Amino acid sequence: MIALLLALGSSLAYGCADFVGGLGARKAHVLRTVLIAAPASLAVELLLWPVLGASFGAGALGWGAASGVASAAAFALLYRTLAIGPMNVLSPVTALVSAALPVAVGLLQGEHLGAAGVIGLPLALVAIVLVSAGQGAGAARPSRTALLLAFGAGAAIALQLVCLHQAPAGSGVAPLIVGRAVSSAVTLAAAGAMRRRLGAERPAYAMSAAAGVLDSVANLLFLLAVRGGDLTVVAVITALYPAGTVLLARGVLAERIHRGQVVGLGAAALAVSLLALA
């Protein structure tokens, strides 16, 4: 149950980070936003070091670095995906893949689900698709390239989560620190290579920093959750993060929640309840 609550907290934090980061990215080029968010995120993880400890062994360094590379790849693929295709079709593809692959890894590693989990797990995957999709999800047909990029973005997100799960349980926050340092370095290199195309607009500093802090909180809660529970359950609950983004958009921006998303939110609540019983 504690792992379940941590996974729900991780999902909510990821959803809030996406919402705040998305608002910040409207002010300037997205790389400018990330250049503020990444140091803020790393600062949080460094502050957690004395509290939660960190052991920089070979496992923590290797899996942490791999998660950082996957995180940077996920960022690049996700934004490229959403730039060239219909978001209401491609976002569910990305979210579904990001959940399904860790579930497959967990099952292959010998994790088992009870009867309630066997029902709740596929229901949660359906909920992810419904909540992620906007109005008229079938109105526009994405290109094959866009679909491949969406799949790649989801796979990169999934790989990041799996790498964090594989890091040694006694390594504390070391995998998070290493991963964030690596992803920040990759992002900085990308920004340097694209500096002429970033524009002169200033980023929204407060929102960008808040997105980074929330992302660190989400990563930490996920790491704690998988250390105390099954990757199969934790990953699929974490992947419900679009629900938090949708609810924030409704409350803050007064955006309409479409009928399919309402059904998805209900399915998500039922799926979490079933997984709790499992």
Side-chain angles (χ1 to χ4, degrees), residues 7 10 36 51 74 101 103 107 110 114 154 203 250:
S10 177
I36 302 300
V51 179
L101 291 183
V103 166
L107 293 176
R250 172 61 179 170

Side-chain angles (χ1 to χ4, degrees), residues 46-191:
L46 290 173
L47 288 173
L48 290 170
W49 184 350
V51 179
L52 299 177
S55 175
F56 293 91
L61 290 172
W63 289 113
S67 74
V69 172
S71 176
F75 164 77
L77 289 169
L78 180 61
Y79 281 96
R80 179 58 182 161
T81 298
L82 299 182
I84 68 171
M87 294 185 185
N88 55 10
V89 178
L90 298 174
S91 291
V93 172
T94 299
L96 183 61
V97 173
S98 71
L101 291 183
V103 166
V105 171
L107 293 176
L108 288 173
Q109 290 181 339
E111 296 178 359
H112 299 285
L113 294 171
V118 171
I119 300 173
L121 192 64
L123 183 61
L125 295 176
V126 171
I128 291 168
V129 174
L130 291 174
V131 172
S132 302
Q135 188 176 24
R141 295 186 61 183
S143 66
R144 182 179 300 179
T145 299
L147 283 172
L148 288 174
L149 286 171
F151 188 93
I157 294 171
L159 183 60
Q160 178 193 6
L161 299 181
V162 170
C163 288
L164 289 176
H165 170 255
Q166 295 296 118
S171 58
V173 294
L176 298 180
I177 294 173
V178 174
R180 184 63 61 188
V182 170
S183 63
S184 298
V186 172
T187 302
L188 183 62

Side-chain angles (χ1 to χ4, degrees), residues 6-22 74-75 77-79 81-82 87 89-100 102 124-133 150-158 160-161 214-215 217-219 221-222 233-250 261 264-265 268-269 272:
L6 289 169
L8 283 171
S10 177
S11 177
L12 180 60
Y14 276 128
C16 292
D18 281 0
F19 177 77
V20 176
F75 164 77
L77 289 169
L78 180 61
Y79 281 96
T81 298
L82 299 182
M87 294 185 185
V89 178
L90 298 174
S91 291
V93 172
T94 299
L96 183 61
V97 173
S98 71
L125 295 176
V126 171
I128 291 168
V129 174
L130 291 174
V131 172
S132 302
F151 188 93
I157 294 171
Q160 178 193 6
L161 299 181
L214 286 166
D215 190 65
V217 171
N219 286 336
L221 292 176
F222 174 83
V233 175
V234 171
V236 75
I237 292 178
T238 300
L240 289 168
Y241 65 87
T245 306
V246 167
L247 292 174
L248 276 174
R250 172 61 179 170
Q261 291 175 313
L265 291 171
V272 170

